[in-house]
Amino acid sequence: MIGNAHIDPVWLWAWQEGFQEVKASFRSALDRMKEFDFFVFTCSSAAMYEWVERNEPVIFEEIRQRVAEGRWVVVGGWWIQPDCNIPGGESFVRQGLLGQRYFMEKFGKTASVGYNVDSFGHAGMLPQILRKSGLDAYVFMRPMPHEKSLPGPLFWWESDDGSRVMAFRIIHKYESWGKELEQGVARTAEQLIEPLSDLMMFYGVGNHGGGPTIANIESIVEMNERTDLPELAFSSPDRFFDTIRERGDVLPVVHDDLQHHAVGCYAAHSGIKMWNRRAENRLSAAELFAVVAEKETGLSYPDDYRRAWKNVLFNQFHDILAGTSIREAYDDARDEFGEALAIAGRGLNGALQSLSWNIGIDKEVGMKPVVVFNGHSWSGTMPVKLELGAMGSKPLVLDESGRIIEVQVGQASSTTADPNGRYSYAFVDDLPAMGYRVYRLYADPANAKPTAAARPGGMLLAEPHALENGKFRLAFDPETGWISSLYDKKLQSELFAGAAARPAVLEDFSDTWSHGVFRYDKEVSQFKAADIRVLEAGPVKATIRVVSLYGQSKLVQDFSMYRDLDQIEVKVKVDWRERFKMLKLMFPVALAGVKPTYETPYGHIVRESNGDEEPMHSWVDYSGYLLKDGPAYGISLMNDGKHSCSMNNETIGLTVLRSPIYAHHVPAQPDPEQEYEFMDQGIQRFTYALLPHPGSWERAGTVQRALELNQPPLTVVESYHDGRLPQRNSFIDVDQSNIVVCALKKAEDGGGYILRCRETIKKSTVALIKLPQWGREIRSSFGPCEIKTFYIPADGDRPVVETDLIERPLGV
């Protein structure tokens, strides 16, 4: 019998109300301990403990004493109970890093049981992250038996690297009200079927907190005297899992995601998804360049990144990030994500400007230096975009060696005439791994002294309804505005089986979670083109704008084809005014034998192509072979802020948005006489990209291209000054393309740094990671999809040490 108080700090109430309920529930649990010396209480979520510690230190000190006694049991090990599909892999690492270290600091111990009893689904890579965060067991409730068939309530859950945790699916509920407790005991007891001789039953008033009541506890004592029920022990998840291990039960193994419950939450409230993705990406870049700046220029590493991460992690709570809370909750979430973004933005700007200021740049008449930074652990050809004033509409651009770089001039963000002649500039060039290059812009080409001509490029054409480069031709239907053709010129093959980038409007009368729904397949209408025009055509890229209308809504898609890049980039602006409807962009691929692959947090998964709505991250891919027995081929669809998708009959359906009522939960039905607030009304923006590729997505580097879309190159406009840093530099080199650096940060202890890498294509790999400027080399063996963390001492004479995810040396 597991006494708990499931507390949603935010849901049908704002966090301020949740704050008070946490204190009230904790006080109640402590009072029950005084009244019943056998009562044991279980509680997760470091964020809630921190609330109490800061606001009611007397209560917190009582909790410390009860933890020491073993009667208050800390579980979870994470900062909060988050959504377990939408956050990025590094966010899950930070949930454990901040949560477990908080518990160790305050209670002298870490949690051993992962605990996300109310989260709506669970990504398949979590067992590795749990194990490497000191958690060897896991408790969850959703998906329920009608949503996911499992071999039993207790099993080994295994991730792609082979990590396992002992997992338990709650049989009844995580809460109990009044007489429901006896019903829950009876239902749980029915599942005591050999070889299982122990199960957990959770009790205590929940959701809005409360916890075990006197009546709960007394009724358990009374039921324990009955002969028709099994023994009821006041206990904890830790003791339960220890009992199973000691007995040595043979358990089945599940190697899969744990889905599907509430599939609508992965598209509900586009804003919260985009704020989270941006904050994760900006914090990642800010930490990385803060480390580089501290090492290279002595700039102090900011001390407020932990505060920013706490904001992000708290707002990944499953009823916030999933879009299932009341509207007012998103005002608070917006502000906290804004604070995190501001902290990261200031830190990132400071690091980049410190580095660029220490680059030696000679003065030249009429020249403006621009430093372009690449935060990824690989070199590559990437698009660079910036805005400048006073450089004119026909500048010459040189790289650090004096080679001419083709540049395209466009309109600046401002739509009004600028007396300073402000323009946007775009070019494509090779950027060094986790490093930078200096480019020189000349308003008057006569002032420049190039040493080499621009590299010869391929063709790039823009016609009224088509774009074409050396590899592909992209054509649009002039009546509908949909893609009518994407043609691979080398293979002479059509890549789409029908109209693509087709905006489909689907009926969606489901509640905010889409309870009871597994797919959205009732198409009711389509957007139709109102205008198609060539927006820009130059030496670097060409863009066609398609404006489409439906009802009171408007969709603008800017399709850009680059001369020197394989992917087609699409900037999207949606002004949505519909209710009880969903918008998808449909892409039917002309492939056979397809394998649908979805990116997941720090991993990927192949799922059935059956039209079910699925959570996703920054990319999905169909790989198979071209029709008529053609060669292996695939198409990746990447994005910078969407998390929901369907794949069916070789058609990718990217879910752009849905418009349910805020926090509408069946069986309640909307009253036609009432006024409601609907989600995703108004303007939103995001970007997606198409990457056609011969062979598999692994060979095409889809992981890297998607990361580049989400974290594009950064620019600093500089001046002339002395400096010890060269005009081209790289701070890391990884000799295997499937190993990527996913975090570089200051260590929590010891004054050193943390480098985290992961394997991306499910291939055992030995990699050499070089940090040439710091005289460091790390050679390590990675298992399939394995995450590895290294502690790099600030003292260069001390060796690099591999650690777990909470930065404890392995084997200690």
Side-chain angles (χ1 to χ4, degrees), residues 521-571:
D521 53 11
K522 188 173 182 180
E523 187 171 330
V524 294
S525 192
Q526 301 160 340
F527 278 74
K528 293 296 178 67
D531 184 37
I532 307 174
R533 68 179 67 181
V534 175
L535 198 63
E536 58 181 337
V540 175
K541 66 174 180 174
T543 302
I544 282 181
R545 171 170 288 176
V546 178
V547 179
S548 304
L549 302 176
Y550 165 75
Q552 300 300 309
S553 299
K554 181 177 181 180
L555 172 67
V556 180
Q557 297 190 82
D558 291 344
F559 295 85
S560 293
M561 179 177 282
Y562 288 83
R563 185 190 69 180
D564 298 325
L565 297 176
D566 292 343
Q567 69 256 35
I568 296 158
E569 184 181 279
V570 188
K571 292 191 175 298

Side-chain angles (χ1 to χ4, degrees), residues 702-714:
T702 292
V703 170
Q704 288 84 352
R705 302 295 83 77
L707 284 166
E708 291 166 9
L709 180 71
N710 279 265
Q711 296 186 44
L714 301 163

